[in-house]
């Protein structure tokens, strides 16, 4: 079945460091790909998304490119801030034959130190 | 516009008891989803409502879980009787009808979750 695999955390970085969180997926057809973020004490928020190969999603300085050839959707940010400390979830969905349910990776906890 | 709300935010019950979780989706959203995250693992899909109908309940763990969405508005998820392995965070999400969705884009809006602890 379809699945998403993320790099395990926790990840601890210093402020202004470069961030990469790896995400790979296994899916038939043409899934849409998402990154969700959960800040402490809050619900999940959509961070960015991409719907087809080579699409780049971006938001708040974060970027991820839909790579069909490597089945990946790695999250990157050039300079992290303390406020980026959160849990990040990679996910996929297939609307047209699965009703849009999201399939998540296990989440990667990011801690950014001043 | 109010977001997705969930109640309670935290529930602690003993094994064998019953708990009912509630989710109020964003007004006008036909789709309502329940998910669960257990012990820091991945968030797993439980079921999907379209209005008041269950579209997909393939993720429901067993018959101790019962979900309803009367009138196509709020939804409840009842666990009866609760077991230790049911502990986790239960998330609800909603989205607008798929008829208005452009190719591949289907944003779900999540509630803050209910943390269930079964002792």
């Amino acid at each position: 079945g379809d699945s998403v695999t993320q790099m395990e955390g926790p990840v601890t970085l210093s402020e202004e460091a470069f961030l990469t969180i790896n995400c790979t997926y296994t899916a038939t057809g043409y899934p849409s790909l998402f990154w969700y973020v959960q800040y402490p004490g809050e619900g999940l928020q959509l961070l960015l998304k991409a719907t087809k190969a080579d699409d780049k999603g971006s938001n708040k300085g974060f970027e991820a490119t839909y790579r069909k050839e490597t089945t990946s959707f790695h999250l990157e940010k050039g300079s992290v801030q303390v406020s980026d400390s959160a849990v990040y979830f990679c996910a996929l969905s297939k609307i047209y034959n699965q009703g849009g349910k999201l399939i998540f990776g296990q989440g990667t906890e990011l801690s950014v130190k001043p | 516009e109010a977001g997705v709300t969930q109640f309670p935010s935290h529930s602690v019950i003993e094994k064998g008891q019953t708990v009912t979780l509630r989710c109020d989706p964003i007004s006008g959203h036909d789709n309502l989803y329940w998910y669960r995250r257990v012990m820091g693992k991945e968030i797993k899909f439980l079921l999907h409502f379209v209005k008041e109908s269950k579209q997909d309940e393939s993720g429901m763990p067993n018959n101790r879980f019962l979900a309803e969405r009367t009138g196509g508005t709020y939804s409840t998820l009842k666990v009866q009787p609760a077991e230790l392995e049911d502990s986790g965070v239960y998330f609800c999400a909603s989205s607008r009808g798929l008829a208005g969705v452009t190719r591949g884009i289907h944003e779900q809006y999540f509630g803050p979750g209910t943390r269930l602890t079964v002792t």
Side-chain angles (χ1 to χ4, degrees):
Chain A
D2 299 340
S3 65
V4 174
T5 302
Q6 288 180 237
M7 64 185 284
E8 291 193 14
V11 174
T12 302
L13 296 174
S14 297
E15 206 164 22
E16 298 183 2
F18 184 86
L19 168 71
T20 299
I21 300 178
N22 290 337
C23 171
T24 57
Y25 68 91
T26 300
T28 57
Y30 303 94
S32 296
L33 302 176
F34 305 83
W35 277 100
Y36 278 83
V37 58
Q38 184 180 23
Y39 297 104
E42 299 183 14
L44 278 78
Q45 302 174 24
L46 178 63
L47 180 60
L48 52 84
K49 58 184 181 283
T51 62
K52 61 183 187 298
D54 300 324
D55 267 2
K56 177 185 284 188
S58 61
N59 186 26
K60 299 181 180 180
F62 291 89
E63 293 183 341
T65 301
Y66 189 142
R67 300 288 188 198
K68 195 166 179 63
E69 65 275 13
T70 55
T71 62
S72 65
F73 193 54
H74 304 322
L75 182 68
E76 297 182 336
K77 185 174 186 182
S79 176
V80 294
Q81 305 300 312
V82 172
S83 57
D84 294 326
S85 297
V87 182
Y88 293 81
F89 295 91
C90 186
L92 69 83
S93 77
K94 296 192 292 188
I95 296 175
Y96 299 110
N97 61 359
Q98 289 189 3
K101 69 181 180 185
L102 289 162
I103 297 170
F104 287 92
Q106 65 267 44
T108 302
E109 183 178 0
L110 171 66
S111 177
V112 181
K113 306 297 184 185
Chain B
E1 177 181 79
V4 177
T5 58
Q6 293 187 245
F7 182 83
S9 58
H10 193 181
S11 179
V12 181
I13 61 172
E14 294 182 353
K15 176 182 173 181
Q17 290 185 322
T18 297
V19 63
T20 300
L21 313 181
R22 173 171 171 143
C23 169
D24 286 79
I26 292 172
S27 178
H29 279 195
D30 290 341
N31 294 284
L32 189 149
Y33 303 82
W34 283 98
Y35 296 88
R36 176 175 74 169
R37 189 182 192 207
V38 174
M39 288 294 290
K41 296 184 179 179
E42 72 270 26
I43 300 171
K44 285 195 172 181
F45 166 80
L46 296 178
L47 87 159
H48 170 207
F49 283 99
V50 177
K51 298 184 180 179
E52 67 277 8
S53 299
K54 292 178 184 175
Q55 182 78 9
D56 179 356
E57 51 185 331
S58 62
M60 295 288 265
N62 51 60
N63 59 10
R64 294 185 295 103
F65 289 75
L66 175 63
E68 295 180 327
R69 192 182 182 194
T70 306
T73 55
Y74 71 91
S75 175
T76 57
L77 180 64
K78 180 189 288 187
V79 184
Q80 179 182 28
E83 298 289 345
L84 298 178
E85 64 264 26
D86 301 332
S87 295
V89 180
Y90 290 75
F91 293 102
C92 175
S94 72
S95 67
R96 58 191 172 88
L98 295 181
V101 174
T102 55
R103 182 183 181 280
I105 299 174
H106 181 69
E107 183 168 351
Q108 294 181 27
Y109 296 83
F110 280 76
T114 294
R115 181 174 295 277
L116 175 64
T117 303
V118 183
T119 63

